[in-house]
Amino acid sequence: MPEFTAVPQLRSTTHHPAGRLAEIAAWLAAAQDSEKAQPLTRARAIIFSGAHGIAERTVDGVGIGPLSSEDEERWRDDISTAAHRAEAGVEFIECADAASIDVAPAMSAEELERHVELGHKAADREVDSGADYLLTSDFGIGGETVAAAVMGRITRTEPVAILGTRTSGGVTDQMWKTRVTIVRDAMFRARNLEGWEVVQTIGSPSLAALVGFIAQAALRRTPVLIAGPLAATAAVLAERSAPGVKGWLRAGSTSPEPAQALAFKELGLSPLLDLNLSACYPLGALAALPLVQLAAELS
């Protein structure tokens, strides 16, 4: 299973007394090893894309939500537009599809290793190319349900609690029940597993790649803005594997998903924006990027 090197420690500035902009600037300056924060010159959004088998699962003929492949096509355009507005480069990295985690392992041990390494190499490539700020998230329907299953298992939180009771945004009561059933069954399958075995069994290749990317970016002393429940879960896994990762992270936006809130609480992160995104999570990081840039320019 993957092994990580402990990352350089970065002093936490979460409770800076001068306000949020000053806190962001102080954190960025520490990451840059500078007296004051320097304006960002090459921000890059790296988004790990992959299908989740549970997106096709149904219980009594009802799936996990109302989203479709047409929504994903629209999201790609939205993300490209947001990246252009934020003056950030963007790259989608394709990952293998995950199996339905309620009935089968998400991936093989070999796929797990390969996708963690995929994340490592992506971070190295970006840093070596001059990126001074990274944003990362996932892209694919069902990622938040995978995040709920993994966070539920590693924190021993019950399925109903890790999913909450949200039925807004087109999610019906029956769709919510389908999600609960899938998460419950996935968590039961992983009940006797620990560490990376949990990720292999009820995670996804894109989750593994996110863990590798976040951990390696921190090792390379490059700050990262994370967005969405799956990236938040990956950050928790990266911190547990390589203590110190969380010091290099900031969170983009809020989400109605309890798994994300639980992950951010464990990491000690407070989202920069309160957009309450329930889909297309990369937009949260891209929307928050100008705030980080402003903090640097005003420091």
Side-chain angles (χ1 to χ4, degrees):
M1 292 296 177
E3 295 184 0
F4 294 96
T5 302
V7 304
Q9 298 293 308
L10 188 63
R11 179 175 57 85
S12 174
T13 58
T14 302
H15 302 292
H16 195 285
R20 203 69 193 276
L21 282 175
E23 180 269 316
I24 296 169
W27 167 73
L28 192 58
Q32 295 169 335
D33 194 22
S34 174
E35 287 291 327
K36 59 179 292 186
Q38 303 301 311
L40 307 176
T41 60
R42 191 171 190 272
R44 292 276 294 166
I46 307 302
I47 301 165
F48 294 93
S49 175
H52 300 92
I54 54 171
E56 304 300 325
R57 295 286 288 168
T58 62
V59 175
D60 295 330
V62 179
I64 62 173
L67 301 175
S68 66
S69 57
E70 288 75 18
D71 293 302
E72 289 188 312
E73 292 177 10
R74 175 170 51 82
W75 292 345
R76 282 186 183 266
D77 292 338
D78 292 344
I79 290 167
S80 296
T81 297
H84 176 73
R85 291 287 185 182
E87 299 183 344
V90 62
E91 180 182 358
F92 289 85
I93 297 180
E94 299 299 323
C95 299
D97 295 346
S100 297
I101 58 173
D102 56 328
V103 295
M107 60 194 137
S108 67
E110 292 74 20
E111 284 181 312
L112 172 65
E113 293 269 7
R114 181 167 65 86
H115 282 85
V116 171
E117 184 61 21
L118 177 70
H120 279 175
K121 290 181 177 179
D124 282 337
R125 182 172 62 250
E126 293 300 329
V127 176
D128 290 342
S129 296
D132 57 357
Y133 197 81
L134 296 170
L135 304 85
T136 197
S137 187
D138 73 295
F139 184 85
I141 296 169
E144 61 276 354
T145 303
V146 171
V150 174
M151 281 302 298
R153 172 62 189 84
I154 66 176
T155 61
R156 302 188 183 280
T157 304
E158 292 295 322
V160 171
I162 202 66
L163 286 170
T165 56
R166 179 176 65 89
T167 55
S168 60
V171 177
T172 65
D173 288 341
Q174 188 56 52
M175 289 173 183
W176 178 82
K177 290 177 183 177
T178 297
R179 289 189 72 196
V180 171
T181 299
I182 288 172
V183 169
R184 179 201 65 197
D185 292 350
M187 289 175 61
F188 182 78
R189 293 185 60 252
R191 65 194 182 281
N192 296 322
L193 304 179
E194 299 293 339
W196 287 105
E197 290 182 331
V198 174
V199 181
Q200 180 190 337
T201 303
I202 62 172
S204 69
S206 52
L207 174 62
L210 280 162
V211 177
F213 181 84
I214 292 168
Q216 189 66 12
L219 182 64
R220 296 294 303 272
R221 309 181 73 92
T222 304
V224 184
L225 188 62
I226 59 176
L230 202 68
T233 301
V236 169
L237 294 168
E239 171 64 26
R240 291 187 177 193
S241 299
V245 164
K246 65 183 180 182
W248 297 87
L249 308 179
R250 282 298 180 269
S253 170
T254 56
S255 160
E257 296 290 334
Q260 175 178 290
L262 183 60
F264 286 163
K265 181 178 180 180
E266 179 164 328
L267 294 165
L269 299 178
S270 178
L272 301 181
L273 299 176
D274 185 15
L275 302 179
N276 205 36
L277 292 173
S278 59
C280 201
Y281 299 107
L283 292 179
L286 290 165
L289 178 57
L291 182 64
V292 178
Q293 185 69 283
L294 177 64
E297 292 174 355
L298 295 179
S299 67

